[in-house]
């Protein structure tokens, strides 16, 4: 959920004048402005369109987004968040109180906003976004993501693009994405908001290279000479988990799994006299979460809500078709910049072309899979690979993994030919395939 400043002192009384509280919005919705088109409709029917729109908000900007959407005139809002409220949330997530600790964030936030803004209906969903099917997402007019996980963003992006059907205009769901960024030593003073019109404009996968992959720590450091609490956590995450396998599969969103990693990392820290290992830090390292800043979250959430309002009312051009990406930086001052991120023809989600990929055919399939995880445009974690006529390696189900495991030791040149296309899938992308056209390195071709 969001992380703005906690409200102190008595809570203001609910707004109780439903007929007049939207006057400031009606000034915008009922009057043409310098950026409205000639067809801009100011009738009662057009203004009441917002009453019928369904908006979905998900993830880490939730508190700010819910408040902003409710006060902007949206009346049918759904929110997804699988987390429960922790004491550490109370200093910045302003919809929560100490008595709410342990309760569902989505449920508490929804009820709080409904009490404050009469006439709004907020439906909470205490689950992962991946738990919902396509029919669930089809009911919404606008989807806003404030997710703190790149993997979850990619999943939502690919899901909404898969929904798009040229014969059904209602299947096109605008995706508004917002997030904060920073370094582990610098907190989240940077952020961005962007709008994706599925299959029409640049999507989040086209823009993946804007997010640098997490910095890798050498395994020798993790295994022998950890120096920071993060090293202890990564050791638990990468080494201890694989050695002990406490659960069949690691789920970064499962509190029980994170608790296991935290206890292992804490013991590792005590062994090497390293302090600072906490549950929240463990969760942040494992999920690659940047520590949040209240003001940054408030600004980015407001920008996302502003884009939703513009799309719903057509009072101003939204991000999306011309300039579709807004960057914010608050490190030294307040700076914003908007630009157009071009659509990529070889994007694995919204593009049509296979990407050329130069590869050393002497690589084993295992080495090739590991190299995919390091590529900035892929950032895959557990890829499965198929050639045009046969399967090279599948991560799941177990039967297929066992059947294709022997291929991991074989050389690429033995499994596929120069110029062959392969399809790469990953859980982070749902059903989307990366398409690569393999080009064997020049040195190998010269020898061959």
């Amino acid at each position: 959920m969001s992380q703005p400043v906690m409200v102190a002192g008595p809570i203001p009384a609910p707004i109780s004048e439903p007929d007049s509280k939207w006057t400031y919005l009606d000034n915008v919705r009922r009057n043409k402005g310098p950026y409205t088109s000639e067809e801009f409709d100011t009738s009662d029917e057009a203004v009441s369109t917002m009453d019928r729109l369904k908006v979905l908000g998900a993830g880490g900007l939730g508190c700010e987004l819910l408040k902003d959407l409710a006060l902007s005139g949206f009346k049918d809002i759904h929110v997804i968040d699988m987390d429960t409220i922790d004491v550490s949330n109370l200093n910045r997530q302003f919809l929560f109180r100490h008595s709410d600790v342990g309760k569902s964030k989505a449920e508490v936030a929804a009820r709080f906003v409904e009490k404050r803004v009469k006439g709004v209906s907020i439906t909470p969903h205490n689950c992962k976004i991946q738990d919902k099917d396509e029919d669930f997402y089809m009911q919404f007019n606008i989807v806003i993501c404030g997710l703190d996980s790149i993997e979850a963003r990619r999943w939502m992006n690919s899901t909404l693009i898969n929904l798009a059907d040229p014969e059904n205009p209602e299947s096109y769901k605008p995706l508004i994405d917002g997030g904060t960024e920073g370094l582990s030593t610098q907190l989240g003073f940077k952020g961005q908001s962007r709008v994706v019109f599925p299959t029409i404009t640049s999507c989040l996968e086209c823009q993946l290279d804007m997010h640098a992959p997490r910095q890798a720590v050498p395994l020798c450091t993790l295994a022998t000479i950890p120096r920071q609490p993060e090293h202890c956590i990564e050791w638990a995450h990468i080494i201890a988990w694989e050695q002990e396998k406490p659960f069949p599969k690691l789920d970064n969103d499962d509190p029980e799994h994170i608790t296991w990693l935290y206890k292992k990392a804490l013991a590792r820290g005590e062994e090497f006299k390293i302090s600072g290992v906490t549950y929240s830090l463990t969760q942040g390292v494992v999920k690659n979460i940047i520590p949040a800043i209240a003001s940054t979250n408030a600004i980015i959430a407001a920008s996302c809500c502003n884009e939703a309002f513009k799309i719903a009312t057509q009072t101003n051009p939204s991000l999306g078709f011309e300039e579709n990406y807004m960057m914010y930086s608050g490190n030294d001052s307040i700076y914003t910049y908007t630009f157009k991120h071009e659509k990529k023809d070889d994007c694995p989600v919204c593009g049509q072309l296979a990407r050329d990929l130069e590869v050393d055919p002497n690589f084993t399939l295992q080495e090739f899979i590991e190299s995919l995880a390091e590529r900035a445009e892929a950032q895959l974690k557990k890829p499965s690979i198929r050639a045009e006529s046969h399967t090279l390696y599948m991560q799941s189900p177990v039967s297929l993994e066992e059947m294709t495991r022997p291929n991991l030791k074989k050389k690429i040149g033995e499994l596929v030919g120069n110029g062959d296309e392969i399809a790469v899938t990953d859980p982070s992308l749902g059903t989307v395939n990366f398409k690569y056209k393999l080009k064997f390195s020049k040195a190998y071709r010269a020898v061959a």
Side-chain angles (χ1 to χ4, degrees):
M1 300 296 288
S2 71
Q3 301 177 351
V5 179
M6 181 177 68
V7 176
I11 302 174
I15 300 171
S16 57
E17 298 180 42
D19 295 330
S20 62
K21 68 180 178 181
W22 306 120
T23 300
Y24 67 101
L25 287 176
D26 287 342
N27 288 336
V28 177
R29 295 186 290 188
R30 293 185 180 278
N31 294 285
K32 291 187 176 183
Y35 298 106
T36 55
S37 66
E38 294 182 359
E39 295 80 21
F40 181 66
D41 191 351
T42 60
S43 66
D44 290 344
E45 183 178 355
V47 170
S48 66
T49 298
M50 289 185 68
D51 296 347
R52 300 187 295 273
L53 290 181
K54 269 193 173 183
V55 181
L56 173 67
L61 297 176
C63 284
E64 279 286 357
L65 279 174
L66 284 183
K67 178 260 296 180
D68 289 346
L69 289 170
L71 292 176
S72 295
F74 292 98
K75 295 186 177 180
D76 191 351
I77 306 169
H78 289 238
V79 58
I80 295 182
D81 197 304
M82 66 166 293
D83 287 340
T84 55
I85 299 165
D86 186 76
V87 173
S88 62
N89 302 143
L90 301 181
N91 70 328
R92 48 190 194 277
Q93 298 184 6
F94 72 107
L95 298 182
F96 308 140
R97 300 295 181 266
H98 196 279
S99 59
D100 298 323
V101 171
K103 298 178 183 177
S104 161
K105 286 186 175 180
E107 179 71 30
V108 173
R111 301 291 83 86
F112 190 104
V113 174
E114 283 183 335
K115 290 179 182 178
R116 285 287 291 115
V117 185
K118 298 302 181 182
V120 65
S121 172
I122 302 178
T123 305
H125 303 274
N126 185 28
C127 61
K128 300 179 186 177
I129 59 172
Q130 294 91 339
D131 291 342
K132 298 296 186 180
D133 58 19
E134 291 187 350
D135 290 339
F136 173 80
Y137 291 106
M138 274 294 292
Q139 67 181 302
F140 299 104
N141 303 101
I142 301 172
V143 176
I144 307 176
C145 277
L147 299 160
D148 54 20
S149 164
I150 292 178
E151 289 79 10
R153 287 172 168 171
R154 296 173 75 183
W155 187 91
M156 181 66 81
N157 174 69
S158 62
T159 296
L160 295 184
I161 289 175
N162 283 339
L163 287 179
D165 180 0
E167 297 182 1
N168 179 14
E170 293 184 359
S171 67
Y172 287 81
K173 313 295 180 183
L175 171 61
I176 303 171
D177 177 78
T180 60
E181 300 172 12
L183 303 173
S184 59
T185 57
Q186 193 181 311
L187 303 180
F189 283 104
K190 295 183 179 180
Q192 85 286 322
S193 61
R194 47 192 169 175
V195 177
V196 174
F197 290 95
T199 74
I200 301 172
T201 65
S202 169
C203 77
L204 267 61
E205 199 70 31
C206 295
Q207 304 165 13
L208 188 61
D209 53 4
M210 300 290 287
H211 299 276
R214 65 193 301 168
Q215 186 175 358
V217 179
L219 284 176
C220 59
T221 298
L222 301 180
T224 59
I225 50 172
R227 298 182 299 274
Q228 301 173 11
E230 290 84 356
H231 294 168
C232 299
I233 296 168
E234 288 286 19
W235 172 85
H237 182 205
I238 297 173
I239 299 177
W241 183 278
E242 289 301 320
Q243 291 176 345
E244 302 185 30
K245 289 286 186 182
F247 301 93
K249 183 180 179 181
L250 175 61
D251 184 349
N252 294 344
D253 292 317
D254 190 321
E256 191 175 0
H257 294 196
I258 297 297
T259 299
W260 188 92
L261 292 173
Y262 161 61
K263 290 180 178 178
K264 282 290 178 181
L266 185 62
R268 181 77 166 175
E270 292 173 351
E271 178 184 352
F272 287 87
K273 295 180 171 56
I274 298 172
S275 61
V277 177
T278 64
Y279 180 90
S280 59
L281 180 62
T282 302
Q283 190 177 42
V285 170
V286 172
K287 297 178 67 175
N288 200 24
I289 298 173
I290 301 300
I293 297 296
S295 57
T296 307
N297 276 9
I299 290 169
I300 298 303
S303 175
C304 290
C305 183
N306 194 35
E307 294 306 319
F309 181 81
K310 290 189 289 185
I311 292 172
T313 64
Q314 301 298 307
T315 52
N316 278 272
S318 70
L319 290 172
F321 294 101
E322 294 301 327
E323 296 177 335
N324 57 13
Y325 199 112
M326 187 280 287
M327 299 178 64
Y328 163 80
S329 177
N331 292 40
D332 302 314
S333 59
I334 296 177
Y335 173 76
T336 61
Y337 174 69
T338 56
F339 66 95
K340 182 177 182 179
H341 197 294
E342 296 291 345
K343 194 173 187 288
K344 293 183 178 179
D345 293 333
D346 60 355
C347 172
V349 175
C350 68
Q352 303 296 323
L353 302 178
R355 297 184 178 189
D356 289 339
L357 178 62
E358 184 169 329
V359 60
D360 183 345
N362 292 311
F363 270 16
T364 64
L365 182 60
Q366 178 71 55
E367 292 172 326
F368 177 67
I369 290 175
E370 291 173 354
S371 72
L372 287 175
E374 299 172 358
R375 296 183 65 85
E377 85 281 3
Q379 299 186 32
L380 305 178
K381 290 191 171 183
K382 292 188 175 181
S384 298
I385 304 177
R386 291 181 289 106
E388 295 180 23
S389 59
H390 60 288
T391 298
L392 301 184
Y393 181 68
M394 295 294 290
Q395 296 273 2
S396 62
V398 174
S399 58
L400 282 179
E401 195 282 329
E402 292 176 347
M403 188 182 302
T404 57
R405 190 184 303 164
N407 287 340
L408 293 175
K409 297 180 180 180
K410 296 180 180 180
K411 295 181 179 181
I412 291 291
E414 300 173 8
L415 298 169
V416 293
N418 186 31
D420 285 358
E421 286 192 11
I422 62 170
V424 181
T425 59
D426 191 270
S428 64
L429 293 176
T431 59
V432 174
N433 294 333
F434 269 90
K435 299 175 184 177
Y436 286 113
K437 185 174 184 179
L438 299 181
K439 293 184 177 295
F440 289 171
S441 58
K442 294 180 180 179
Y444 175 85
R445 290 202 298 269
V447 172

